[in-house]
Amino acid sequence: MFFTSCEEKQNAKTEQLKSSPNIILFVADDHGTDALGCYGNPVIKTPNLDKLASEGVMFTNAYCTSASCAASRSVILSGLYGHATGSYGHVHDYHHFSTFDGVKSLSNRLSEAGYLTARIGKYHVAPEKVYLFDEVLEADPRNTVEMADASKNVLNSDKPFFLYFCTDDPHRGHPFKPETWDIPNTFGNKVGGYKDVNQVVYNPDNVIVPDFLPDNKQSREEIAQYYQSISRIDQGFGKLMSHLKDAGKLYNTIVFYISDNGMAFPGAKTTVYEPGIKLPCIIKDPTKGKKGSVNHAKISWVDLTPTILEMAEVSYNPKDFHGKSFNTIIDNEPNQGWDQIYASHTFHEITMYYPMRVSIDKNYKLIWNIAYRLDYPFASDLWAASTWQSIYKNDIEYYGKRKVKDYMFHPEFELFDLDKDPGELNNLATNANFEAVLENMKKKMKAFQLKTKDPWLIMWDHDNSLQGTGVDL
């Protein structure tokens, strides 16, 4: 588009803002806040995502509800906790968890409202009629540049569009189990790289090792691979923004960058500790006033669907969702009302039954390990990771700052003061001085489970009030 003057350019911007906004929801796979320049990592190269943060709003307390890919994505697209929709864990292969047919998803609602809806890359939800998109675009989900190129027609649509852009990066790559235990996973990186992608390679000596991981050769080698995969995401994101600019849609497109769960390392993904569920969330909304700001409100992926519907000016009944829209607080951080988070994990793989529920209220966090009598079930790819094997195979007592036995066997309740103990190492649940706090957090958790019709409420006192009769009438 060619402008002959600044005035014409401003007029075009004004006209765009009058129309229904386009929306891009960019979802990475297993990306934590540990590996983004804008979140404080001085080593990793993410210039395009850092630019998005400088032009938008970066949330520091954004949470998924389950640190497992499929379960998390069902929440993103439904506004409902997975325990209420049947989305208990992985949908693919023999795991076969699936959302109940009566759920009405974000994409279906936007299609009915006149949006062109399109998805590209990782899907990982079912059934398709619940999560239906008008167009399904094809590209290598490890090559975000190719994905961006494949999205150009959608970006040039005459209708307002919703683009659900989901990478496979930086998920661990095949083979998950290496030939020898000490070989680092590739995280999708390959010799020769990907077409039109500049390989950004990292020296393991220079990476930042999070406190919950062991600082050793194997961990550093895997983090270096993880970083490389993220830099590939960043290039594809930059290409997508370039195409958006070429389409003349910069001024009326809202862009989200999030991840489904934390980094694919033991202690993060599949856990409900902070590295598993506290995630990047960057939003650029041309209608908002503040740019380059930071928002400390506690928001959740269960809030995304009502938020996006409100942005798109699509009417809905707030009672249809467990989450609530945070649209009005994006550039106006609230003083109160956004200081609680709930999380709900039940399965990862079907062989990994380990239900956990989480309540966060201001600085306190309660984890209820419902199946605490069982060994903690690792994801198969995380167990095979050289980072974990470097500790487990060599019978080393500590993995990061936590004892290996504490990873393998969790207590029933874990209570933490996140302000004083961000690493979640000092369990206050057995401390008599925090008995009142523990009981108050339990009450909040029970109320959350009752409100969201969590079948696992029965595990408190065998109250089966949420269950049916078991007889079809």
Side-chain angles (χ1 to χ4, degrees):
M1 184 178 296
F2 179 74
F3 296 99
T4 58
S5 69
C6 291
E7 183 178 356
E8 287 181 358
K9 187 173 182 179
Q10 183 59 44
N11 289 340
K13 178 178 178 179
T14 302
E15 287 304 311
Q16 285 187 31
L17 291 173
K18 288 179 181 178
S19 61
S20 296
N22 307 302
I23 297 164
I24 296 175
L25 180 55
F26 193 115
V27 185
D29 195 352
D30 302 352
H31 187 188
T33 57
D34 58 280
L36 273 163
C38 54
Y39 277 89
N41 187 317
V43 175
I44 194 164
K45 296 178 175 62
T46 53
N48 294 296
L49 291 169
D50 297 347
K51 181 181 179 183
L52 181 72
S54 73
E55 297 174 342
V57 177
M58 184 176 72
F59 282 85
T60 60
N61 288 299
Y63 288 82
C64 68
T65 65
S66 180
S68 182
C69 301
S72 181
R73 290 163 192 269
S74 73
V75 176
I76 290 169
L77 291 174
S78 71
L80 299 166
Y81 288 93
H83 60 242
T85 65
S87 308
Y88 305 128
H90 277 348
V91 69
H92 65 289
D93 299 331
Y94 54 80
H95 313 296
H96 202 56
F97 292 110
S98 184
T99 300
F100 298 139
D101 289 352
V103 172
K104 192 171 183 180
S105 74
L106 173 62
S107 55
N108 291 33
R109 291 172 183 269
L110 289 173
S111 289
E112 290 178 4
Y115 271 73
L116 168 66
T117 61
R119 66 175 175 88
I120 187 168
K122 187 164 185 172
Y123 187 44
H124 225 39
V125 288
E128 189 171 8
K129 66 179 180 180
V130 168
Y131 302 103
L132 192 63
F133 288 79
D134 300 324
E135 295 186 14
V136 179
L137 310 177
E138 299 293 336
D140 183 349
R142 289 286 187 182
N143 186 340
T144 46
V145 171
E146 182 181 308
M147 292 173 69
D149 290 342
S151 303
K152 284 196 289 186
N153 285 343
V154 171
L155 302 183
N156 283 283
S157 169
D158 291 333
K159 297 171 64 176
F161 64 79
F162 170 60
L163 176 61
Y164 184 56
F165 192 106
C166 301
T167 70
D168 273 6
D169 292 326
H171 193 288
R172 286 177 175 266
H174 291 282
F176 292 143
K177 187 174 183 179
E179 292 183 8
T180 60
W181 71 266
D182 58 345
I183 296 176
N185 188 268
T186 65
F187 287 82
N189 306 316
K190 65 181 183 180
V191 177
Y194 292 84
K195 187 177 183 295
D196 297 326
V197 178
N198 176 39
Q199 285 198 86
V200 181
V201 179
Y202 293 87
N203 184 335
D205 292 340
N206 297 333
V207 302
I208 308 297
V209 181
D211 287 345
F212 70 93
L213 294 180
D215 190 350
N216 61 22
K217 177 177 181 292
Q218 288 76 28
S219 177
R220 285 181 168 276
E221 287 177 345
E222 291 211 303
I223 293 172
Q225 295 289 328
Y226 167 64
Y227 280 14
Q228 183 175 334
S229 187
I230 291 166
S231 284
R232 186 165 56 251
I233 291 175
D234 185 79
Q235 289 182 55
F237 181 82
K239 177 63 72 171
L240 186 66
M241 293 301 99
S242 177
H243 290 326
L244 186 67
K245 181 179 180 181
D246 291 343
K249 303 288 181 68
L250 278 179
Y251 300 126
N252 68 332
T253 301
I254 301 169
V255 180
F256 289 75
Y257 182 85
I258 64 170
S259 172
D260 57 356
N261 49 250
M263 67 189 303
F265 285 74
K269 182 179 180 178
T270 76
T271 79
V272 290
Y273 295 127
E274 295 291 279
I277 62 175
K278 189 175 180 180
L279 302 174
C281 179
I282 309 170
I283 304 172
K284 178 185 176 183
D285 183 346
T287 68
K288 307 299 183 189
K290 290 185 179 179
K291 310 297 180 187
S293 61
V294 174
N295 193 312
H296 301 294
K298 288 181 170 63
I299 62 170
S300 169
W301 287 183
V302 79
D303 300 324
L304 286 170
T305 283
T307 299
I308 290 172
L309 290 174
E310 183 174 312
M311 288 173 162
E313 299 183 349
V314 175
S315 62
Y316 64 90
N317 185 343
K319 294 181 179 179
D320 289 344
F321 305 114
H322 294 146
K324 58 182 179 179
S325 171
F326 57 81
N327 180 44
T328 58
I329 66 146
I330 288 177
D331 63 350
N332 185 25
E333 186 171 338
N335 293 321
Q336 57 185 0
W338 293 89
D339 50 14
Q340 294 183 342
I341 289 290
Y342 296 96
S344 170
H345 176 102
T346 306
F347 285 90
H348 181 63
E349 300 157 13
I350 196 171
T351 50
M352 292 176 59
Y353 175 75
Y354 201 84
M356 299 173 285
R357 300 295 183 263
V358 175
S359 173
I360 301 176
D361 185 28
K362 300 180 179 65
N363 58 308
Y364 287 111
K365 176 178 181 178
L366 177 65
I367 300 173
W368 180 28
N369 296 302
I370 299 172
Y372 68 98
R373 294 179 181 87
L374 299 176
D375 295 4
Y376 187 78
F378 276 63
S380 53
D381 57 337
L382 301 188
W383 180 267
S386 61
T387 297
W388 173 254
Q389 289 298 318
S390 68
I391 302 300
Y392 184 77
K393 189 178 184 69
N394 294 298
D395 199 27
I396 297 173
E397 184 179 10
Y398 278 85
Y399 175 85
K401 292 187 175 181
R402 188 177 271 112
K403 288 185 177 181
V404 171
K405 69 178 182 65
D406 293 332
Y407 271 111
M408 304 294 290
F409 306 100
H410 292 194
E412 183 177 11
F413 294 104
E414 297 175 85
L415 177 65
F416 303 111
D417 183 335
L418 294 176
D419 285 350
K420 297 178 180 178
D421 179 28
E424 299 165 286
L425 298 172
N426 182 22
N427 184 8
L428 303 173
T430 57
N431 186 325
N433 294 327
F434 291 88
E435 185 175 348
V437 175
L438 177 62
E439 291 307 310
N440 182 52
M441 295 297 287
K442 285 182 180 179
K443 287 180 181 179
K444 290 180 182 295
M445 185 176 288
K446 289 177 184 178
F448 154 71
Q449 290 184 278
L450 186 63
K451 179 181 178 181
T452 60
K453 295 182 170 56
D454 182 0
W456 278 262
L457 179 70
I458 195 174
M459 301 305 293
W460 285 104
D461 53 12
H462 299 282
D463 176 5
N464 64 356
S465 59
L466 290 179
Q467 295 191 168
T469 62
V471 179
D472 293 330
L473 300 178

